[in-house]
Amino acid sequence: MTLNSLNDWPTYSDLASFTTLADWVRFCASQMERSECFYGHGFTQPWQEARHLVVRGLELDWDVPDSALGAVLLEHERALLFRLIHDRCVSKIPTAYLLEEAWFFNEPFRVDSNVLIPRSPIGELVSNKFAPWLEHEPTHLLDLCTGSGCIGIALARTFPQAHVDISDLSAEALDIAIENIGLKDLDYQIDAYQGDLFEALPSRQYDLIVSNPPYVDADDIDQMPAEFLHEPRMGLAAGDDGLDLVRKILALAPNYLTPEGWLICEVGNSAAALIATYPEVPFEWPDFSQGGHGVLVISSVELTKHAASFQ
């Protein structure tokens, strides 16, 4: 069988000789390369993603040993993988949406197309307990623009004595976040609020506000790979310079932070526009050993000092 283009996508009967897990992982990886899939939702290369899609598509443990790749599949399992691989390669649906599962902070989360696929480098800051900025154990934390709830849940895991609030404008996204909170048995520690940024939150001050808001500018949103078109646009697009929501967060955050509190906010490629807009504001920009960029750190003191700039 020779395939020269996507128009030559094989029929299921063409693949009758593909009987083992290894056959289907190999087929998936090569088809993703031929299809010019984009590896930006938790995977960096095709074999890694193909193995995950095939293994989890069959509801096997994600870390199944390589010795299992020789296992012979049932026909209905092969038919399922054929459909999943087709949807990944031809329709460019990200693996996380096909499986309705994404991993963040070393654990799985339920996701669907109402939420962005978790991938924020903020997870590394959580792992480090936000050192050196956060010097004391926090009591109240906020995950603003929570999406799937993954950052809020990571905060709860890391600071088990703290209370965590999460908030999102999208009711559909918040439903997914609440489902994830329940699956993790964290209802006692995390409260969820639906509303625009801070508007639905209780009257409370936080030791730490963490946010991964929409921040993609108009130029980038039109040039994103096809995989991103399956994500909710309201979770990505943020105006001409990508700062529509970030400006509001910077202006309002001091009202919700303790005097010693900190704001952590991901702005991605819009960091350059932010620095150009507020050259006098001393944002800090952590380096990430696991990849990622464009996450600002700023204290409540500095936000208050420069409050006039954000109005």
Side-chain angles (χ1 to χ4, degrees):
M1 177 178 56
T2 301
L3 302 176
N4 297 315
S5 72
L6 283 179
N7 294 327
D8 298 323
W9 187 268
T11 64
Y12 178 62
S13 60
D14 289 329
L15 308 181
S17 63
F18 292 2
T19 60
T20 67
L21 272 172
D23 290 335
W24 285 90
V25 172
R26 197 283 308 159
F27 174 68
C28 182
S30 61
Q31 290 301 103
M32 284 197 295
E33 283 291 88
R34 288 186 60 254
S35 304
E36 298 182 347
C37 289
F38 180 77
Y39 312 110
H41 290 99
F43 304 97
T44 58
Q45 44 90 9
W47 186 265
Q48 175 194 40
E49 182 169 351
R51 192 183 191 283
H52 187 84
L53 177 57
V54 168
V55 166
R56 292 300 295 143
L58 295 178
E59 299 185 19
L60 296 169
D61 288 341
W62 66 272
D63 58 351
V64 64
D66 287 344
S67 58
L69 294 179
V72 175
L73 304 181
L74 299 172
E75 182 169 353
H76 77 271
E77 293 175 321
R78 298 196 299 270
L80 170 62
L81 293 179
F82 179 79
R83 177 182 61 80
L84 289 174
I85 295 168
H86 176 276
D87 289 349
R88 177 68 188 95
C89 295
V90 177
S91 301
K92 296 296 194 297
I93 301 174
T95 287
Y97 288 152
L98 293 172
L99 301 175
E100 295 193 349
E101 175 188 85
W103 284 71
F104 182 80
F105 210 67
N106 298 316
E107 61 180 313
F109 289 85
R110 161 111 158 83
V111 298
D112 66 15
S113 58
N114 290 302
V115 298
L116 297 185
I117 297 169
R119 53 187 178 270
S120 175
I122 288 174
E124 185 174 331
L125 299 183
V126 182
S127 295
N128 296 330
K129 292 191 171 184
F130 299 96
W133 304 283
L134 198 61
E135 297 180 347
H136 306 288
E137 283 291 308
T139 58
H140 291 92
L141 306 169
L142 172 62
D143 174 16
L144 193 66
C145 306
T146 190
S148 65
C150 63
I151 290 177
I153 288 170
L155 292 173
R157 297 288 200 209
T158 304
F159 302 105
Q161 302 306 313
H163 181 82
V164 180
D165 288 334
I166 65 172
S167 175
D168 204 286
L169 176 60
S170 167
E172 293 79 12
L174 205 63
D175 284 343
I176 296 294
I178 291 170
E179 181 179 348
N180 279 318
I181 291 168
L183 290 170
K184 310 295 183 183
D185 295 322
L186 289 170
D187 308 75
Y188 70 94
Q189 190 183 0
I190 304 177
D191 288 329
Y193 299 90
Q194 191 264 317
D196 187 8
L197 296 179
F198 299 93
E199 70 175 15
L201 293 169
S203 179
R204 178 178 292 156
Q205 289 189 311
Y206 298 95
D207 303 294
L208 187 70
I209 296 174
V210 182
S211 185
N212 182 12
Y215 58 72
V216 181
D217 64 36
D219 288 339
D220 282 353
I221 202 76
D222 292 332
Q223 299 174 30
M224 299 183 87
E227 281 82 354
F228 289 94
L229 300 179
H230 295 279
E231 295 193 288
R233 189 178 177 92
M234 71 176 292
L236 295 169
D240 289 344
D241 61 2
L243 301 178
D244 282 3
L245 270 76
V246 175
R247 287 189 186 89
K248 295 178 182 179
I249 292 170
L250 293 171
L252 295 172
N255 301 325
Y256 296 87
L257 283 168
T258 64
E260 300 81 23
W262 293 87
L263 170 67
I264 313 292
C265 185
E266 183 170 345
V267 297
N269 288 344
S270 296
L274 185 73
I275 294 168
T277 302
Y278 306 111
E280 73 286 356
V281 178
F283 299 114
E284 296 183 62
W285 302 96
D287 293 323
F288 294 97
S289 63
Q290 301 169 25
H293 68 284
V295 176
L296 70 85
V297 179
I298 189 167
S299 68
S300 175
V301 171
E302 291 295 342
L303 284 170
T304 301
K305 184 185 300 185
H306 296 278
S309 299
F310 307 130
Q311 303 305 314

